[in-house]
């Protein structure tokens, strides 16, 4: 087991995993709580079977998994809890069980040798699902889009109008009244065909 310590350079704290390339026989690596981000790169660790990256600043799951798959092909245990890349309810209340399950399928698609992911064992059903559909299970949140608001809208909650803005002033409108010439007697009603005179 190799505990990770950040390197200090003057007043600047740098977070990296440089220097691990000298530990080719390393089997377990704990990198929890180190503020590691997406820029982190792994050296080749062919014997690594356990890796924990809990509570870091990892946000891009696909980039991370590609790095791990290339550096540690024998990995069997991985934990990413506490990162935005791991969409569970501990990170954000917007995530639900479906988000987390899709995340597990995607991780298993990228790392098919895993036996244990986060806090639970990989099941046979999960492995089969990851093989068949895992590549499509990446959790993607829609990007926030700005709502267009017309500069002359009087209401702050009105985001659009079905009429051109210059068609008329909404404060100066005219009502229209008219008389309908058609009178409905009910003789041509489809429902009246099924009602007999004795039923009235």
């Amino acid at each position: 087991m190799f505990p990770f310590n950040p390197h200090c350079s003057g007043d600047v704290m740098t977070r990296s995993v440089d220097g691990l390339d000298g530990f080719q026989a390393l089997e377990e690596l704990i990198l929890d709580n180190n503020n590691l981000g997406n820029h982190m790169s792994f050296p080749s660790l062919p014997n690594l079977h356990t890796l924990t990256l809990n509570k870091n600043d990892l946000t891009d799951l696909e980039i991370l998994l590609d790095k791990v798959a290339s550096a540690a092909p024998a990995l069997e245990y991985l934990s990413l809890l506490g990162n935005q890349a791991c969409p569970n309810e501990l990170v954000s209340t917007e995530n639900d069980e479906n988000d987390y399950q899709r995340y597990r399928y995607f991780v298993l698609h990228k790392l098919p040798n895993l036996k244990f992911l986060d806090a639970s064992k990989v099941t046979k059903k999960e492995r089969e699902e990851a093989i068949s559909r895992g590549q499509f299970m990446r959790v993607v949140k829609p990007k926030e889009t700005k709502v267009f608001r017309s500069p002359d809208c009087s209401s702050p909650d009105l985001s659009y109008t079905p009429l051109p803005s210059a068609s008329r002033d909404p404060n100066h409108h005219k009502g229209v009244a008219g008389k309908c010439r058609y009178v409905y007697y009910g003789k041509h009603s489809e429902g009246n065909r099924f009602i007999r005179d004795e039923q009235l």
Side-chain angles (χ1 to χ4, degrees):
M1 187 175 296
F2 182 81
F4 173 73
N5 292 316
H7 303 287
C8 295
S9 177
D11 296 331
V12 179
M13 184 77 74
T14 59
R15 308 285 178 172
S16 68
V17 290
D18 296 338
L20 290 180
D21 49 354
F23 298 87
Q24 292 295 304
L26 192 65
E27 296 182 355
E28 297 182 20
L29 181 60
I30 299 174
L31 299 175
D32 300 347
N33 295 296
N34 280 291
N35 297 331
L36 296 173
N38 298 324
H39 63 280
M40 172 187 60
S41 61
F42 284 96
S44 177
L45 299 171
N47 296 313
L48 190 70
H49 61 72
T50 299
L51 174 63
T52 65
L53 289 162
N54 300 317
K55 296 183 179 180
N56 280 290
D57 297 327
L58 302 169
T59 59
D60 195 316
L61 180 63
E62 189 167 11
I63 290 177
L64 172 66
L65 295 179
D66 287 340
K67 291 178 180 179
V68 171
S70 176
L75 195 68
E76 296 180 351
Y77 178 98
L78 175 66
S79 185
L80 300 174
L81 292 172
N83 292 283
Q84 290 185 18
C86 175
N88 62 1
E89 296 176 342
L90 296 175
V91 176
S92 174
T93 56
E94 295 180 0
N95 300 321
D96 56 23
E97 293 180 2
N98 292 330
D99 292 329
Y100 181 68
Q101 189 60 65
R102 287 193 297 272
Y103 148 85
R104 288 181 66 89
Y105 292 145
F106 186 70
V107 172
L108 293 174
H109 163 70
K110 290 285 189 176
L111 304 173
N113 294 329
L114 284 185
K115 296 180 179 179
F116 209 94
L117 177 59
D118 296 330
S120 60
K121 186 178 180 180
V122 175
T123 65
K124 181 180 179 182
K125 181 179 179 181
E126 285 180 325
R127 197 175 301 283
E128 292 173 351
E129 190 72 15
I131 293 173
S132 62
R133 298 193 303 156
Q135 60 181 328
F136 308 110
M137 293 293 183
R138 183 169 51 142
V139 179
V140 179
K141 295 293 183 183
K143 295 181 179 179
E144 294 183 2
T145 56
K146 293 183 178 180
V147 178
F148 173 76
R149 296 185 184 277
S150 178
D152 58 352
C153 289
S154 58
S155 173
D157 296 328
L158 184 62
S159 59
Y160 68 93
T161 173
L163 299 176
S165 58
S167 63
R168 68 179 185 183
D169 186 352
N171 296 324
H172 296 83
H173 57 82
K174 297 179 181 179
V176 178
K179 185 177 181 181
C180 181
R181 295 183 180 181
Y182 178 77
V183 180
Y184 176 73
Y185 293 103
K187 294 180 180 179
H188 304 291
S189 172
E190 292 293 329
N192 289 343
R193 295 190 307 167
F194 305 102
I195 301 176
R196 300 183 181 275
D197 293 338
E198 60 269 16
Q199 293 175 332
L200 296 176

